Amino acid sequence: MEIIGFDHIVLCVRDVEAAVSFYREVVGLDAREERPGKWSLHFGDNKISLQDAASPPEMARGTLPGTGNFCLVTETPVGAVAERLRDHGVEILTGPVEKVGAIGPLMSVYFRDLDGNLVEISNRV
């Protein structure tokens, strides 16, 4: 078996509507309602599915809001990303700071979403 990439990740959230709004308006992702009440966030060929903490599917029972930690890559300069986040009242935890990503060095900014998930937005260096 050879794994070749990600298809999607799932974030457990307390309030799906608030998460959709945050990721659409603050982060700039495309929010789509896949079926009634089931939302996902799209960017490039990637997807983040949102799981309502109040009604998780049986196999995802025990998943908790705020336990996610992921990195998004952008071509927008990280300094401009940090400014946009601050303009929306989002606290920058650290950055811009140099890190190492899957394919090399990154310049990153870190913050938490509404549920406390740790989000990193980076530029490839």
Side-chain angles (χ1 to χ4, degrees):
M1 171 170 49
E2 179 184 353
I3 305 299
I4 60 168
F6 286 103
D7 181 77
H8 70 281
I9 63 169
V10 179
L11 284 182
C12 183
V13 299
R14 289 178 187 86
D15 182 333
V16 172
E17 186 176 313
V20 165
S21 179
F22 179 84
Y23 279 100
R24 179 188 290 150
E25 295 174 23
V26 177
V27 182
L29 302 185
D30 177 31
R32 300 179 193 165
E33 190 172 24
E34 295 180 354
R35 58 184 185 275
K38 177 63 177 155
W39 286 86
S40 58
L41 308 163
H42 296 258
F43 52 101
D45 293 332
N46 303 291
K47 175 174 98 166
I48 299 173
S49 295
L50 299 177
Q51 173 189 305
D52 187 342
S55 57
E58 180 65 32
M59 65 185 149
R61 187 170 292 156
T63 305
L64 301 172
T67 59
N69 179 339
F70 59 94
C71 176
L72 303 173
V73 177
T74 184
E75 292 182 353
T76 302
V78 172
V81 170
E83 185 176 319
R84 177 186 174 115
L85 293 168
R86 285 188 200 99
D87 287 348
H88 282 86
V90 176
E91 177 187 358
I92 304 300
L93 300 174
T94 190
V97 62
E98 193 164 330
K99 296 291 184 173
V100 177
I103 64 169
L106 301 171
M107 187 59 67
S108 300
V109 63
Y110 289 82
F111 62 96
R112 294 200 183 276
D113 70 7
L114 299 176
D115 287 290
N117 296 298
L118 181 62
V119 182
E120 175 184 1
I121 298 183
S122 303
N123 297 137
R124 291 193 170 115
V125 177

mmCIF file of all heavy atoms in Angstrom, residues 20-22 46 69 74 106:
data_model
loop_
_atom_site.group_PDB
_atom_site.id
_atom_site.type_symbol
_atom_site.label_atom_id
_atom_site.label_comp_id
_atom_site.label_asym_id
_atom_site.label_seq_id
_atom_site.Cartn_x
_atom_site.Cartn_y
_atom_site.Cartn_z
ATOM 1 N N VAL A 20 -18.474 27.534 10.278
ATOM 2 C CA VAL A 20 -18.596 27.875 8.852
ATOM 3 C C VAL A 20 -18.310 29.358 8.662
ATOM 4 O O VAL A 20 -17.533 29.757 7.789
ATOM 5 C CB VAL A 20 -19.993 27.494 8.302
ATOM 6 C CG1 VAL A 20 -20.256 28.168 6.961
ATOM 7 C CG2 VAL A 20 -20.129 25.980 8.182
ATOM 8 N N SER A 21 -18.911 30.187 9.478
ATOM 9 C CA SER A 21 -18.716 31.633 9.377
ATOM 10 C C SER A 21 -17.249 32.004 9.599
ATOM 11 O O SER A 21 -16.684 32.799 8.843
ATOM 12 C CB SER A 21 -19.611 32.343 10.390
ATOM 13 O OG SER A 21 -19.415 33.727 10.318
ATOM 14 N N PHE A 22 -16.619 31.456 10.631
ATOM 15 C CA PHE A 22 -15.216 31.751 10.937
ATOM 16 C C PHE A 22 -14.313 31.378 9.773
ATOM 17 O O PHE A 22 -13.504 32.186 9.307
ATOM 18 C CB PHE A 22 -14.787 31.005 12.204
ATOM 19 C CG PHE A 22 -13.347 31.222 12.575
ATOM 20 C CD1 PHE A 22 -12.973 32.338 13.306
ATOM 21 C CD2 PHE A 22 -12.374 30.305 12.203
ATOM 22 C CE1 PHE A 22 -11.639 32.543 13.662
ATOM 23 C CE2 PHE A 22 -11.039 30.504 12.549
ATOM 24 C CZ PHE A 22 -10.685 31.627 13.281
ATOM 25 N N ASN A 46 -8.607 20.177 -1.562
ATOM 26 C CA ASN A 46 -8.689 19.698 -0.191
ATOM 27 C C ASN A 46 -10.024 20.060 0.458
ATOM 28 O O ASN A 46 -10.704 20.984 0.026
ATOM 29 C CB ASN A 46 -7.539 20.308 0.624
ATOM 30 C CG ASN A 46 -6.204 19.983 0.009
ATOM 31 O OD1 ASN A 46 -5.763 18.846 0.023
ATOM 32 N ND2 ASN A 46 -5.568 20.973 -0.583
ATOM 33 N N ASN A 69 -5.223 20.018 14.992
ATOM 34 C CA ASN A 69 -3.992 20.768 14.808
ATOM 35 C C ASN A 69 -3.591 20.542 13.362
ATOM 36 O O ASN A 69 -3.258 19.431 12.976
ATOM 37 C CB ASN A 69 -2.939 20.216 15.769
ATOM 38 C CG ASN A 69 -1.600 20.906 15.651
ATOM 39 O OD1 ASN A 69 -1.271 21.528 14.645
ATOM 40 N ND2 ASN A 69 -0.798 20.752 16.686
ATOM 41 N N THR A 74 -0.590 28.954 1.947
ATOM 42 C CA THR A 74 -1.117 30.039 1.129
ATOM 43 C C THR A 74 0.019 30.726 0.393
ATOM 44 O O THR A 74 1.183 30.641 0.804
ATOM 45 C CB THR A 74 -1.871 31.071 1.992
ATOM 46 O OG1 THR A 74 -2.440 32.070 1.143
ATOM 47 C CG2 THR A 74 -0.969 31.739 3.009
ATOM 48 N N LEU A 106 8.942 26.462 5.945
ATOM 49 C CA LEU A 106 7.719 27.259 5.914
ATOM 50 C C LEU A 106 7.922 28.512 6.757
ATOM 51 O O LEU A 106 8.674 28.494 7.725
ATOM 52 C CB LEU A 106 6.540 26.487 6.516
ATOM 53 C CG LEU A 106 6.125 25.169 5.907
ATOM 54 C CD1 LEU A 106 5.091 24.477 6.798
ATOM 55 C CD2 LEU A 106 5.568 25.382 4.513
#
